[in-house]
Amino acid sequence: MQKIGQNFELRKKLGSGAFGDIYLGVNTKNNIEVAIKLEPISSSCPQLRYEHEIYKRLLADNQSIDRGIPHVYYTSEECGFTFMVMDLLGASLEELFVSKKKKFSLKTVVMIGLQFLERIEFIHSKGIIHRDIKPDNFLIGKLNKQNKIYILDFGLAKRFVKGKWTYTIQGIEDFDWNCQILQFKYTLRRRQQQSRRDDIECMAYVLFYFLKSTLPWQNMRAKNKREKYERIMEKKMTTTYDELCKGVPKEFGLILKHARNLEFEEDPNYKYLRGLLESICQQEKITVDYQFDWCK
C-alpha cells in the first residue's frame, strides 16, 4: 500500500475520470476511509491543484457547515503524481438511477431539484461556475447522510467577477471539445463562454433526464468525438421546447425557459426556480422529507 504524506494510504482503485484516477484510501491516524484523486504530474492538462483551489474558495469560512461540498484534507505532489485527499462519499445519482432501472419518482426528482438549486446557488455566491453539471458529479453521503446530495468535480469550473460595468470569466481558455456530453451547451457552437445561466440550463436537462429516462441527444453515434459533439449540438438546436417538455409537469419546462432567457451576466432567479419546484409539491401533495427512492 502506497503512503501519501504522513497520514494517508492508498487501498484500492474505485474508478477513473477524464483527468485521473480515484482510489479508496484511509487516514492511518483515525482509520477513517477517504477518497484520493491522483493524476500524473506529466499530464498534458493538469487540474488537481486548480481544483483544490476551487474547493478552498468554496469551503472558506464554512468549515463547520455542511454545504453539500466534500472537504479536501490534503494535496501534494509525490512519486510523479499529484494527490488530492477528500471525503469519501456514496454512489452517484447516475449509479442510483441505473440501479432503479432509470425510474425515479416525481417526488425524488423534485427533491433532487431542490438540493441541486441549493448547491448551485451557493457555488455561484462564491463566484464559481461549475460548468459540468451532470448526474455523475452529484453523489450522496454515506451511512446516515444518504438523503444529502453532494456536488463535486470542479476540474472544469471557472471563477467569475461581476463588477459595476463588467462580467468577466477568469482563466478563459481557448475553445476546446473537452466538454460533457449530456449537457453540452448549444451556445458553445458560437464560441461563447459559459456563465451561471448554463449551470441552470444543465440542471434542467438533468431533471428532464431523470423524468424521461433519456434525452433526444443521448446515445448518438459518430466516427469521432468532435463529430459526436457536433451531432449533439445539432440535435439540441433542433429539439423543440414542446418536444422536450412533453409528458412532464410544466414547471420543469419553465426552469429551462428561465435559463435560456437569461443574459450572459444576468443573475438567475433562484427564489423563482425554487418556487416552481415547490408549486409541484403543492399540486401533487408531495412532502419534502428527503426520503428519496434510494433510501427505501
Side-chain angles (χ1 to χ4, degrees):
M1 290 176 285
Q2 184 173 342
K3 194 82 175 287
I4 306 300
Q6 294 183 345
N7 303 324
F8 301 99
E9 284 183 354
L10 286 174
R11 291 292 171 88
K12 66 176 181 180
K13 188 174 180 178
L14 297 176
S16 299
F19 298 101
D21 298 324
I22 303 172
Y23 282 77
L24 173 68
V26 66
N27 185 329
T28 56
K29 289 184 68 175
N30 53 26
N31 210 37
I32 292 177
E33 291 184 329
V34 293
I36 302 178
K37 293 183 69 173
L38 69 153
E39 68 176 5
I41 293 174
S42 60
S43 172
S44 61
C45 186
Q47 60 90 35
L48 271 189
R49 283 287 186 183
Y50 172 76
E51 187 176 6
H52 186 202
E53 291 302 313
I54 296 291
Y55 276 113
K56 284 169 60 177
R57 186 182 181 98
L58 291 171
L59 296 168
D61 303 320
N62 291 285
Q63 293 296 330
S64 62
I65 301 174
D66 190 346
R67 296 280 192 178
I69 309 291
H71 285 269
V72 174
Y73 303 103
Y74 181 76
T75 301
S76 71
E77 293 181 355
E78 304 172 25
C79 305
F81 290 89
T82 302
F83 297 88
M84 185 168 73
V85 181
M86 58 196 301
D87 284 334
L88 179 66
L89 298 172
S92 72
L93 293 190
E94 177 65 16
E95 291 170 326
L96 293 167
F97 194 42
V98 171
S99 74
K100 294 294 181 179
K101 299 181 180 180
K102 290 201 168 185
K103 291 183 180 179
F104 276 162
S105 65
L106 177 60
K107 175 182 176 179
T108 281
V109 177
V110 169
M111 293 191 301
I112 286 172
L114 288 168
Q115 290 209 27
F116 274 10
L117 274 174
E118 187 177 332
R119 305 292 171 267
I120 293 171
E121 182 178 9
F122 173 69
I123 290 168
H124 290 175
S125 75
K126 293 292 187 178
I128 302 293
I129 308 162
H130 190 276
R131 299 174 74 240
D132 199 11
I133 300 293
K134 60 182 181 182
D136 302 275
N137 287 340
F138 289 90
L139 275 61
I140 62 171
K142 295 183 73 67
L143 302 175
N144 63 341
K145 290 189 176 182
Q146 291 188 27
N147 60 351
K148 183 133 191 166
I149 298 172
Y150 292 78
I151 185 170
L152 70 165
D153 204 340
F154 291 87
L156 295 177
K158 291 292 178 185
R159 288 175 285 187
F160 68 89
V161 178
K162 186 179 179 184
K164 186 174 182 180
W165 305 111
T166 61
Y167 181 100
T168 58
I169 307 294
Q170 294 184 342
I172 292 177
E173 75 284 5
D174 292 335
F175 180 82
D176 63 63
W177 294 92
N178 187 20
C179 295
Q180 65 277 22
I181 293 176
L182 177 59
Q183 296 84 19
F184 196 75
K185 184 69 175 66
Y186 70 88
T187 52
L188 290 180
R189 180 167 188 164
R190 299 192 296 272
R191 303 301 200 258
Q192 294 178 356
Q193 282 294 315
Q194 290 171 286
S195 67
R196 290 170 294 172
R197 64 185 179 186
D198 296 272
D199 279 351
I200 300 298
E201 182 169 350
C202 291
M203 180 196 79
Y205 291 147
V206 175
L207 297 179
F208 276 112
Y209 170 61
F210 288 150
L211 289 164
K212 299 167 76 77
S213 300
T214 189
L215 294 172
W217 48 83
Q218 287 184 298
N219 304 316
M220 301 193 78
R221 296 182 179 181
K223 297 177 182 178
N224 53 56
K225 188 179 290 186
R226 185 184 183 97
E227 180 182 314
K228 186 173 185 177
Y229 289 150
E230 285 280 10
R231 294 190 62 192
I232 289 169
M233 286 191 290
E234 289 290 347
K235 188 62 177 178
K236 275 198 171 185
M237 296 178 74
T238 57
T239 299
T240 66
Y241 177 82
D242 289 340
E243 181 184 352
L244 193 59
C245 299
K246 185 178 180 180
V248 305
K250 66 180 186 301
E251 287 80 5
F252 290 101
L254 293 174
I255 293 173
L256 177 61
K257 184 173 288 187
H258 176 75
R260 288 182 171 179
N261 288 338
L262 288 171
E263 296 297 328
F264 176 79
E265 74 284 352
E266 193 173 355
D267 298 334
N269 189 333
Y270 308 100
K271 183 177 180 181
Y272 165 71
L273 297 173
R274 253 189 309 275
L276 290 173
L277 293 172
E278 290 167 352
S279 176
I280 298 173
C281 294
Q282 292 174 357
Q283 295 169 34
E284 302 295 330
K285 295 181 171 52
I286 293 172
T287 301
V288 182
D289 54 9
Y290 293 116
Q291 291 301 302
F292 296 98
D293 291 344
W294 58 81
C295 295
K296 299 174 183 177

